Every structure is written in C-alpha cells, then in structure tokens.
Amino acid sequence: GSRSGSGRSRSPVAAMDGTDRRTFHNGTFLSYGDQAAVAKPKHSWSEMLGPTLLKASGESAPTDEVLKGKRQVALYFSGSWCPWCRALAPKFESTIMKVKEADPDDTEVVYIPADADAEAFAASFSGKPWPAMPYERSQGIDQPPVGFVRKKIREEQGKPMGTLQEKYKLTALPRIVVLDGETGEVKNEMFLKEVSDKAADGHEFAPNAPVSWLSAL
C-alpha cells in the first residue's frame, strides 16, 4: 500500500541524498549531496535566545558573538524570590568561576531571569560572571515570554509559559539545562540534587552534572 511504499520510507532522506543538492543553513553553504547527511547545521543561539544578551557590564551584545566558541552553554533559570535559588547561587557562581579559570571556553552560563520585577533582576544579576537574557524577553513584557513564567503570574496576567520553559518541561526553579555549544542539543539536565528538604541546605551536583563542573568542586 501507499503507507509502506518507497515514497514514505525515502522521504526523510530524499531531501539530502541527491548528488546535485546543496545544503544551506542561515545562508551559509554547508555541503554538496551526500555529505549533507552528516553535516550538522550549526545551532543558532540568537534564534533560540533572542538577538542580544546583557553582559555583566550592563552592555548589550549580539547573542551569537557572546556564545561563540563555547563548548557548553548552560541555561540558568532562577529567580531571587525563590529560597532554593538563593541557596544555589553562591555555590554555582564559585563553580563556574573555577571552570572558567581552568578553561575560558568550557562553559558560558546564560541567566534567564524569573525575578519578581526588573529591579529585582538588576540586583540579582549585578556582579555575576555571566551574561543574562533581558528581563523583558524572559518574562514576556510586550512580547511572548521565553523564560520561566511562574504559574501565579501566568494566571494573574493571562500569560503563556515561556518557550524554553515549555521546551524543557520546567516545573520549578532553580533549573540548569546544559546544551552542546555546537549543536544546541541537551547534554546535561536534572542534575541538581536537593541536600535536604530545607532550602537553606541547598543543592549538590549529581554525577550526571558536566564533568568539568564536578572536577572544579
């Protein structure tokens, strides 16, 4: 029948196995013909996170430029209203500073704020060793939200979940999702382990955390 015919089975391959085909990604020529099956298009961080990120200095910079050459990109979803987030912050910051000292291109963290308001975001971002997604983009102020939007805010303001919140099925904070710097694919997630049921005791990294982070502890 037509369901099991060659048209169905070949369609995923047909787009990239003709010798006269050329593969492009964002206007950049990648390869001819059969090579296209193995050539992976480079992940576009600006498509995923938006065109710019805020640097620790407060300046805005192109997202792709900030994350260029990083082997891992850690999406850090957090908010200063959350006691678990406050407990994790100093440990996470010292770990990342050690990782960057050992190899500046190992990991870049992108803080994706879920703070209560722009002032709280400015306070929690101040002096941190990583860039951040602008608060308005993360929380969807006059634009669709990208970050983690609290259920309370969604209900009160009729907002949807942020696109990344939905993509990574985030149900609580803090959360860290580590992506491959080339492909954007998930490398490490769900590795924050609560030490006890008290927020003040914070988290520890489980063995499935990035190896470079574990070795920095």
Side-chain angles (χ1 to χ4, degrees), residues 176-192:
I176 302 171
V177 181
V178 181
L179 307 177
D180 184 281
E182 281 282 317
T183 65
E185 288 169 4
V186 175
K187 285 183 71 178
N188 311 81
E189 62 180 334
M190 307 300 283
F191 54 81
L192 291 177

Side-chain angles (χ1 to χ4, degrees), residues 115-143:
D115 296 288
D117 52 41
E119 289 72 28
F121 160 63
S124 56
F125 178 49
S126 176
K128 293 294 185 287
W130 47 61
M133 178 180 288
Y135 182 78
E136 295 74 16
R137 190 185 308 146
S138 176
Q139 290 302 297
I141 296 166
D142 299 326
Q143 58 194 299

Side-chain angles (χ1 to χ4, degrees), residues 14-113:
M16 49 188 188
D17 71 352
T19 52
D20 61 339
R21 292 180 186 275
R22 302 178 186 195
T23 303
F24 289 82
H25 178 72
N26 288 343
T28 305
F29 174 67
L30 287 182
S31 59
Y32 285 97
D34 291 339
Q35 297 167 13
V38 293
K40 265 205 158 176
K42 246 187 151 173
H43 182 67
S44 170
W45 294 108
S46 54
E47 281 176 26
M48 176 188 239
L49 303 175
T52 56
L53 293 174
L54 288 172
K55 288 160 75 170
S57 61
E59 297 169 311
S60 192
T63 301
D64 292 318
E65 197 178 284
V66 174
L67 301 178
K68 186 180 180 182
K70 305 299 179 187
R71 283 194 291 284
Q72 305 180 113
V73 173
L75 305 182
Y76 174 36
F77 300 87
S78 183
S80 49
W81 50 267
C82 147
W84 289 97
C85 299
R86 292 197 301 272
L88 173 67
K91 175 184 179 162
F92 184 43
E93 187 173 341
S94 71
T95 302
I96 291 301
M97 285 175 81
K98 286 177 192 164
V99 168
K100 287 186 171 191
E101 274 168 29
D103 182 351
D105 290 329
D106 182 275
T107 303
E108 187 56 278
V109 173
V110 178
Y111 178 50
I112 301 180

Side-chain angles (χ1 to χ4, degrees), residues 82-88 90 194-203:
C82 147
W84 289 97
C85 299
R86 292 197 301 272
L88 173 67
E194 293 171 3
V195 173
S196 74
D197 55 5
K198 289 184 196 153
D201 292 337
H203 294 81

